Amino acid sequence: MTQLTSYERFRRMYEHRDADRVPIIDSPWGATFERWHAEGLPTDVSWTDYLGIDSIASIWTDNSPRYPTQVIEQTEDYTVSTTAWGVTLKQWRHIASTPEFIDFTIRDPDTWRAAKERMTPSEDRINWAALARDYPRWREQGQWVSGHLWFGFDITHSWTVGTERLLMALVEEPEWCVDMFNHQLDVGLALLELAWDRGYTVDEIHWPDDMGYKYNQFFSLRTYRELLKPVHKRAADWAHARGVKVRLHSCGDIRPFVPELVEIGIDALNPIEVKAGMDPLALKAEWGDQLVLHGGINAVLWDDMDAIEAEMRRVLPALKANGGYIFSSDHSVPSSVSLEGFRHIVALAKELGSYD
């Protein structure tokens, strides 16, 4: 088969058909890029082009309350700042890590109502200049274009109100939780519609909603069905009405939720976190004809070339069968992986992921 574009590869995977090879994408941590640049990765070219892997172009919009942002403290090791969601957080500058969330502006239904009033869709929440500059190039180069949404449990607990507060509210104040989930989505979809109506269409929508951790979920299946599943379904319905695919990122062990996700029309699931208890081969066997699997290659092994090669040889031939697979780590590429190590993994993924 002749070499396909990223768009053609992704489209075939979503259609559960063979391609020239599986798409290869990933999301290295900032500290990983820092290491790779020191090891020779140029700073003036696309890292995906340099390494010969696929590319997803992204349309981002701003559905936040637009609280003032500022840097409170900055050292060689970390930065403390505030976000447009009213959160104070600490981010490590040279370590691959999620932020430490320190304080929150939105704490209860009253402070949420004040934030909600600030969250209205408007033209200035989209970077039109960047779209006008980049979108024609994306299409000309055959990139897969993703429309990003920012809503749901994960966005609310980590980036909006705090984990303990939201987990308690799911039980004690479920109406507040549902209102936050729905309004976040409403604004996000309205903004994507503004872009769509101007000709900036997308091939998929994508959002992060981590609903699990190691060997468990943050909430029950009943809670998912009653509070969050209807909101996820609204997003999927919006996409499918426009002929657009749906890809969900949800870390942790979310095995009990998978049948629910398939039922509401989620087309692809990422990252299939092996180290949390997810089994990509079992998911392929049960759902491979309905669900595109994206990830499932244990990131813990990526700095051990013998171990990662053995794992890839074990799982990749089965995962690629009949299409429906996108190669990547089961979260992000850690900074323990060298540039040459990543090159080796990419070369092996191209070899094992080939359909020729």
Side-chain angles (χ1 to χ4, degrees):
M1 183 182 293
T2 59
Q3 182 171 314
L4 303 179
T5 64
S6 290
Y7 171 82
E8 291 167 333
R9 287 191 192 103
F10 280 102
R11 180 173 55 81
R12 286 173 178 256
M13 290 301 104
Y14 274 104
E15 293 171 349
H16 297 270
R17 295 196 293 140
D18 292 359
D20 56 342
R21 62 166 173 81
V22 299
I24 302 169
I25 60 173
D26 225 307
S27 53
W29 291 98
T32 309
F33 280 123
E34 189 174 341
R35 172 179 179 166
W36 289 357
H37 289 312
E39 294 174 345
L41 177 68
T43 58
D44 58 349
V45 298
S46 163
W47 74 277
T48 55
D49 290 344
Y50 182 78
L51 292 167
I53 63 175
D54 292 277
S55 179
I56 294 181
S58 299
I59 295 180
W60 294 87
T61 64
D62 175 15
N63 67 334
S64 76
R66 289 183 158 181
Y67 286 117
T69 61
Q70 63 174 323
V71 174
I72 298 172
E73 180 184 3
Q74 184 164 301
T75 72
E76 175 59 27
D77 297 321
Y78 64 82
T79 299
V80 178
S81 59
T82 62
T83 74
W85 289 86
V87 178
T88 302
L89 52 80
K90 182 178 185 179
Q91 292 180 295
W92 299 99
R93 301 182 65 187
H94 309 292
I95 300 174
S97 173
T98 55
E100 176 187 350
F101 297 93
I102 299 171
D103 198 11
F104 300 87
T105 300
I106 304 171
R107 296 168 169 268
D108 51 36
D110 288 338
T111 49
W112 161 247
R113 280 189 288 272
K116 184 177 178 180
E117 291 178 358
R118 304 169 65 102
M119 296 167 61
T120 56
S122 57
E123 294 273 342
D124 61 345
R125 289 177 176 268
I126 299 173
N127 190 336
W128 298 108
L131 278 177
R133 180 192 67 224
D134 297 335
Y135 187 86
R137 173 175 52 84
W138 296 341
R139 290 306 187 189
E140 182 180 347
Q141 294 176 349
Q143 296 191 46
W144 183 256
V145 180
S146 181
H148 280 265
L149 292 169
W150 194 252
F151 76 99
F153 168 80
D154 183 33
I155 298 312
T156 307
H157 89 82
S158 58
W159 296 94
T160 309
V161 304
T163 302
E164 182 178 353
R165 185 174 291 116
L166 183 62
L167 289 174
M168 294 292 289
L170 288 173
V171 177
E172 297 177 350
E173 300 175 285
E175 297 85 1
W176 173 36
C177 301
V178 172
D179 189 47
M180 287 190 286
F181 301 158
N182 274 303
H183 190 68
Q184 293 159 357
L185 177 60
D186 287 343
V187 178
L189 291 180
L191 293 171
L192 283 183
E193 285 178 1
L194 284 175
W196 186 283
D197 290 344
R198 288 200 187 181
Y200 299 113
T201 62
V202 298
D203 305 311
E204 69 167 19
I205 60 168
H206 169 259
W207 70 91
D209 204 345
D210 296 349
M211 298 182 288
Y213 52 99
K214 193 170 184 179
Y215 306 132
N216 220 318
Q217 303 78 50
F218 282 107
F219 42 81
S220 69
L221 182 57
R222 176 181 175 181
T223 296
Y224 176 71
R225 286 173 174 165
E226 293 180 353
L227 305 186
L228 188 54
K229 181 179 177 180
V231 193
H232 282 175
K233 185 177 185 302
R234 284 208 304 119
D237 289 348
W238 182 93
H240 291 155
R242 290 159 178 78
V244 168
K245 300 300 183 181
V246 180
R247 181 165 56 97
L248 171 67
H249 169 97
S250 189
C251 289
D253 179 4
I254 59 165
R255 285 174 291 178
F257 298 157
V258 172
E260 311 292 316
L261 300 176
V262 173
E263 179 187 321
I264 63 174
I266 301 298
D267 297 298
L269 181 63
N270 163 264
I272 321 296
E273 196 171 1
V274 177
K275 55 190 176 293
M278 299 289 279
D279 183 342
L281 293 181
L283 288 170
K284 180 72 174 184
E286 187 167 5
W287 302 106
D289 60 338
Q290 301 175 69
L291 189 65
V292 174
L293 302 181
H294 169 195
I297 309 296
N298 193 346
V300 172
L301 307 177
W302 281 50
D303 60 352
D304 183 330
M305 290 301 105
D306 290 337
I308 189 58
E309 180 166 339
E311 179 69 357
M312 288 171 63
R313 292 188 182 280
R314 182 180 76 89
V315 302
L316 214 163
L319 292 176
K320 76 173 185 180
N322 302 313
Y325 180 65
I326 300 167
F327 178 88
S328 77
S329 64
D330 67 344
H331 192 278
S332 304
V333 182
S335 57
S336 58
V337 180
S338 69
L339 180 60
E340 286 309 306
F342 189 76
R343 282 185 190 274
H344 176 72
I345 291 169
V346 168
L348 186 59
K350 289 181 177 179
E351 173 193 330
L352 297 176
S354 171
Y355 288 95
D356 292 337

